Amino acid sequence: MNRPTKIDIVLSFLIAIYNLAIMFLTLLWLFTNVFQNKRAALSHLESFNLNENVTYGLFFSGVLGGAFYCIRSLYQRIGETYTPIVSTEPKNTLNMTVWFFWYLVRPIQGGVLALIILTLINSKLMTLQLLDNENMNSFYTLVAVGFLCGFGSHEVIHKIQELVQVMFAKSNLKQSNSEQKVKENKGE
């Protein structure tokens, strides 16, 4: 029988604990006053003109979305490994040594992408039809945008790539002789 190795099982356990801890701590940060003293210690950032409630709230909601996606991916991978659909033997699809780093980085990536998306929206380089200035001032809207950025990091990266391709696309127009165009417009 082809079973996952002990290292895969240990790494799966560590990944689950890590991502559940991140989810728990981000929920405490976002929706309780448990970290009120830590938030107050961040008030020295006013010299940078940062609104730390928005910045850290958005970052942590992106981290929450990324960690939630990791937990979902982990239990799907474990389910595929231990619940064979076609054969009666478990598949060795766990292979956590390959995916371990991804499970550690994905939540952080989600938080960073949430901040980048907020920056792109505030700079008007990207628009979302459902968001206007009134919505963007809502804490829950920002948490939702951050969570979606973390959960859908792959799609967000593709959307940023589309934006870059549009902004920095090469022009298909050929250079023209402006003097010749002026003469043509005058009828010469």
Side-chain angles (χ1 to χ4, degrees):
M1 191 179 290
N2 193 10
R3 293 200 168 265
T5 64
K6 287 183 182 181
I7 191 74
D8 286 335
I9 294 168
V10 169
L11 288 177
S12 298
F13 181 73
L14 289 174
I15 290 166
I17 296 298
Y18 170 77
N19 281 288
L20 287 172
I22 285 176
M23 289 172 61
F24 179 71
L25 292 173
T26 56
L27 286 171
L28 287 177
W29 180 279
L30 290 169
F31 299 111
T32 69
N33 290 324
V34 171
F35 292 111
Q36 191 65 32
N37 292 337
K38 300 291 182 193
R39 288 184 195 155
L42 296 172
S43 63
H44 70 279
L45 295 177
E46 291 175 2
S47 61
F48 295 113
N49 291 328
L50 290 176
N51 182 344
E52 62 270 2
N53 289 332
V54 170
T55 305
Y56 290 110
L58 192 68
F59 176 78
F60 284 127
S61 61
V63 169
L64 176 65
F68 190 83
Y69 186 87
C70 286
I71 290 294
R72 178 179 167 266
S73 173
L74 181 65
Y75 77 72
Q76 284 178 333
R77 190 170 297 277
I78 290 171
E80 290 171 0
T81 301
Y82 290 103
T83 311
I85 295 174
V86 177
S87 66
T88 57
E89 291 187 24
K91 298 186 294 185
N92 189 10
T93 59
L94 208 52
N95 201 4
M96 286 296 141
T97 54
V98 172
W99 291 99
F100 184 71
F101 185 72
W102 179 85
Y103 280 107
L104 296 180
V105 172
R106 175 76 186 239
I108 310 296
Q109 177 188 19
V112 171
L113 284 173
L115 292 174
I116 290 170
I117 289 297
L118 179 66
T119 303
L120 291 171
I121 291 170
N122 284 338
S123 67
K124 307 285 190 237
L125 290 174
M126 177 183 278
T127 58
L128 298 175
Q129 290 180 355
L130 299 176
L131 296 180
D132 54 15
N133 288 338
E134 184 178 327
N135 287 347
M136 288 302 291
N137 291 329
S138 167
F139 174 75
Y140 294 108
T141 301
L142 291 174
V143 169
V145 168
F147 180 85
L148 292 173
C149 287
F151 188 81
S153 292
H154 190 70
E155 289 79 8
V156 171
I157 289 171
H158 285 296
K159 189 53 75 178
I160 292 172
Q161 188 174 9
E162 285 177 19
L163 180 64
V164 168
Q165 288 172 346
V166 168
M167 285 184 64
F168 303 111
K170 291 183 179 179
S171 175
N172 290 333
L173 300 176
K174 296 179 183 178
Q175 290 187 355
S176 63
N177 185 346
S178 59
E179 291 176 11
Q180 180 65 30
K181 294 290 183 184
V182 170
K183 289 179 181 178
E184 290 174 3
N185 287 337
K186 289 184 177 178
E188 295 179 6

